[in-house]
Amino acid sequence: MLFKYLSFLLFVFVAVLAEERDVLELSDDTFTSELEQHENTLVMFYAPWCGHCKRLKPEYAKAAEMLLGNDPPITLAKVDCTESGKSTCNKYSVNGYPTLKIFSGSDFVSDYNGPREAAGIAKYMKSQVGPASKELTGESCLKSFLETDETSIVGFFEKENSPLATAFHAVTKKLKDKVRFAHTTAKSLLEKEGQKNTIVLYRPKLLQNKFEPNTVTYDESMGDIQEFINKNYFGIAGVRTRDNSADFTNLPLVVAYYAVDYVKNPKGTNYWRNRIIKVAKDFPKLNFAISSKDDFQHELNDFGIDFVKGDKPVILAKNAKNQKFVMQEEFSIEAFETFLKNLEAGSLEPYLKSEPIPEDNTGNVKVAVASNFDDVVTNNGKDTLIEFYAPWCGHCKKLAPVYDELGDKLANEDVEIVKFDATANDVPVQYEVRGFPTLFWVPKDSKNNPIKYEGGRELDDFIKYIAQHATNELKGFDRKGKSVKPKSDEL
């Protein structure tokens, strides 16, 4: 038994070593001399006890393996800030873990602000070194460049300084972090490809399908080059990941969530993607994507879905007004098509994440939830101060007694004091809530134009603000927020 246990520990130890064999270990003594031997290096400054570091390490090791043989070369290295690399970490002002920085030789270039997944790290680092667009000198160069699982853009120019080439290179510098670019002026390659003064978008074999062309060629009638790339880059249904989700912001957006995995199951992943595309191609006014149900469980939760059963995609959508919709039927070509027709027609009932409406809402601080927001805020006929909070937020907890006292102070005024749990309810689109607590002043005659409250958080601060901005002067306070006797008592 002991032998088996020791054998297991040895296996784990060897596996860990194998995972990190491509990551260079640096110390105070070797940092500068080692970096001078490498053209481009990404350095992770870490602490062994750091949980975020432990999660990043296997992804970092995979990225190092993926970058082997890259041209120009890219090295991944690490420094233990608690032991052999203390001085180096102090030198580069490392005060949090993990911290990643990019070096050219031993010279610091910039902080790393890219993804924290293997593929994302590799792609980001490739974009940071060398030219924004790779020059292709012949057919073999093009073939090698296109041997990738990423969409690629290639410019074919008769002259390097032509207006189209100049515009192309300007775009490559803007988008080099996200897109693979190459260009050529080689006559043999222009003749072989049948391209002259054009830009071609190539879809990788992994994402090719019978419903859309494998290549898309730009011509000047398509307008701006960057717009051409943005429009065509992801195809009819883009593969939406945690790293690129910010690129899928155009509404309306329809997303299919299922076991998307192009590493372990590319065939199964494309089986469902192709069915999505088959229907989606007939709805050009909508935007489409596929996403891993595991990577985006938080989004599923926001649509009231705690667990996805089976293999079939779950379809969620947002319309141009940012309203949310769920396809209730099990996925099929027919059900999906019907859902999209109803979405475009505006005949679907939006999904609203909401707590139950409070049975008793007679307190001086009213409780709004998504389901009763119109009654409590929009249509209450009063000026309203509303706080969007999170139950776990320390600043919100500190504000709570002040806010309750404010409600009591203004109980007899033509003003409503309201609170809203923004973690358990969908926030109305006209309220931009990015942190907690966020407060808005909502005049009773201008409910569609809430004003973000930027004042102090003490009781007097709130009273002075409300007294000044109230549509009608308060009964118990003048416009400067000073307490006054009600007119009924003036005798």
Side-chain angles (χ1 to χ4, degrees):
M1 188 71 178
L2 179 61
F3 176 75
K4 287 183 178 180
Y5 178 70
L6 292 173
S7 298
F8 173 75
L9 287 179
L10 180 62
F11 171 78
V12 171
F13 178 70
V14 171
V16 171
L17 287 179
E19 280 185 355
E20 299 196 51
R21 65 179 177 270
D22 301 313
V23 178
L24 187 65
E25 181 81 47
L26 303 177
S27 65
D28 292 336
D29 294 335
T30 63
F31 189 84
T32 301
S33 59
E34 284 282 2
L35 287 188
E36 286 175 348
Q37 299 177 41
H38 298 274
E39 193 172 335
N40 306 287
T41 307
L42 175 64
V43 180
M44 175 175 69
F45 299 89
Y46 73 99
W49 45 259
C50 162
H52 294 295
C53 302
K54 292 176 181 177
R55 284 191 290 274
L56 177 60
K57 273 191 173 184
E59 295 296 324
Y60 198 70
K62 289 177 190 175
E65 184 180 0
M66 294 170 70
L67 289 169
L68 291 175
N70 189 73
D71 182 21
I74 301 172
T75 303
L76 264 60
K78 61 182 180 179
V79 177
D80 183 348
C81 292
T82 66
E83 293 293 340
S84 59
K86 286 183 179 179
S87 297
T88 302
C89 295
N90 289 333
K91 178 181 177 181
Y92 290 100
S93 303
V94 175
N95 49 29
Y97 307 114
T99 293
L100 291 89
K101 296 178 182 289
I102 301 171
F103 291 80
S104 176
S106 59
D107 295 326
F108 169 70
V109 175
S110 67
D111 290 322
Y112 174 89
N113 296 309
R116 297 295 175 103
E117 298 174 36
I121 295 170
K123 183 176 182 179
Y124 184 91
M125 286 306 299
K126 287 179 181 179
S127 73
Q128 298 301 304
V129 301
S133 177
K134 182 179 178 64
E135 184 174 8
L136 307 177
T137 57
E139 185 179 353
S140 61
C141 292
L142 176 62
K143 183 179 179 182
S144 176
F145 182 73
L146 296 179
E147 289 177 349
T148 177
D149 291 337
E150 298 177 42
T151 298
S152 303
I153 314 289
V154 181
F156 296 87
F157 310 115
E158 286 187 296
K159 295 182 179 180
E160 180 62 40
N161 60 352
S162 69
L164 183 61
T166 301
F168 172 81
H169 286 296
V171 171
T172 66
K173 292 174 183 176
K174 292 180 183 178
L175 301 181
K176 69 175 186 175
D177 290 354
K178 299 180 179 180
V179 183
R180 299 179 76 248
F181 290 102
H183 65 279
T184 184
T185 55
K187 291 183 179 180
S188 60
L189 190 49
L190 267 61
E191 293 173 358
K192 173 71 177 177
E193 292 297 306
Q195 303 289 353
K196 186 182 295 185
N197 294 324
T198 58
I199 299 167
V200 181
L201 179 148
Y202 292 86
R203 304 196 194 286
K205 287 184 179 180
L206 190 68
L207 299 181
Q208 291 176 7
N209 59 83
K210 63 181 180 180
F211 303 108
E212 58 186 340
N214 297 335
T215 62
V216 185
T217 301
Y218 168 86
D219 65 60
E220 294 183 5
S221 68
M222 295 178 178
D224 183 78
I225 296 172
Q226 186 169 337
E227 288 181 8
F228 161 77
I229 294 171
N230 291 338
K231 180 179 179 181
N232 296 284
Y233 185 81
F234 290 110
I236 294 175
V239 181
R240 180 171 169 271
T241 66
R242 284 181 290 183
D243 288 340
N244 70 14
S245 60
D247 296 328
F248 291 83
T249 55
N250 290 337
L251 300 177
L253 176 64
V254 181
V255 182
Y257 298 82
Y258 61 100
V260 175
D261 192 334
Y262 276 104
V263 176
K264 297 179 180 178
N265 188 20
K267 186 176 180 180
T269 299
N270 274 336
Y271 175 86
W272 291 114
R273 180 173 184 261
N274 290 343
R275 276 150 183 76
I276 298 295
I277 292 174
K278 182 179 181 179
V279 180
K281 64 181 174 56
D282 297 325
F283 294 85
K285 294 181 180 179
L286 303 177
N287 302 290
F288 294 87
I290 64 170
S291 289
S292 165
K293 62 182 181 181
D294 293 334
D295 288 346
F296 289 91
Q297 181 60 51
H298 61 287
E299 291 185 354
L300 292 164
N301 292 344
D302 282 341
F303 283 74
I305 299 173
D306 296 326
F307 178 71
V308 177
K309 299 177 181 178
D311 298 327
K312 293 184 178 182
V314 168
I315 306 297
L316 307 179
K318 287 187 177 182
N319 65 7
K321 297 178 181 179
N322 208 34
Q323 292 175 306
K324 302 191 291 190
F325 301 89
V326 180
M327 190 175 96
Q328 301 293 346
E329 297 80 5
E330 184 180 69
F331 181 86
S332 69
I333 296 292
E334 295 75 18
F336 187 39
E337 186 174 20
T338 300
F339 174 78
L340 297 180
K341 287 180 179 178
N342 291 334
L343 178 66
E344 283 197 326
S347 59
L348 294 173
E349 185 70 26
Y351 168 79
L352 200 61
K353 183 174 77 170
S354 177
E355 292 179 293
I357 295 175
E359 292 183 7
D360 181 7
N361 206 7
T362 58
N364 292 331
V365 175
K366 297 294 186 288
V367 177
V369 298
S371 298
N372 73 352
F373 194 88
D374 284 347
D375 292 336
V376 176
V377 178
T378 309
N379 302 322
N380 64 10
K382 297 182 178 182
D383 295 330
T384 303
L385 182 69
I386 180 169
E387 176 204 5
F388 295 91
Y389 72 95
W392 43 259
C393 160
H395 293 294
C396 303
K397 293 177 182 178
K398 183 179 178 181
L399 177 62
V402 176
Y403 207 64
D404 288 339
E405 189 175 356
L406 176 65
D408 294 339
K409 285 279 186 181
L410 301 182
N412 297 317
E413 302 286 355
D414 192 29
V415 175
E416 204 75 275
I417 307 301
V418 181
K419 61 182 180 180
F420 183 97
D421 183 349
T423 67
N425 300 274
D426 282 337
V427 177
V429 292
Q430 65 266 40
Y431 296 86
E432 186 175 336
V433 177
R434 293 186 176 179
F436 303 112
T438 295
L439 295 99
F440 283 90
W441 173 250
V442 192
K444 68 177 180 180
D445 297 327
S446 185
K447 293 291 186 175
N448 292 324
N449 296 297
I451 302 164
K452 190 172 182 180
Y453 175 82
E454 303 282 7
R457 302 288 174 85
E458 298 299 328
L459 180 63
D460 287 346
D461 298 321
F462 285 121
I463 290 177
K464 287 178 182 178
Y465 179 93
I466 293 172
Q468 180 184 351
H469 292 88
T471 302
N472 301 314
E473 187 170 342
L474 301 180
K475 302 172 187 175
F477 300 89
D478 64 17
R479 284 296 185 182
K480 293 183 179 180
K482 292 183 179 180
S483 180
V484 297
K485 289 183 179 181
K487 291 182 180 180
S488 59
D489 294 343
E490 291 178 356
L491 281 178

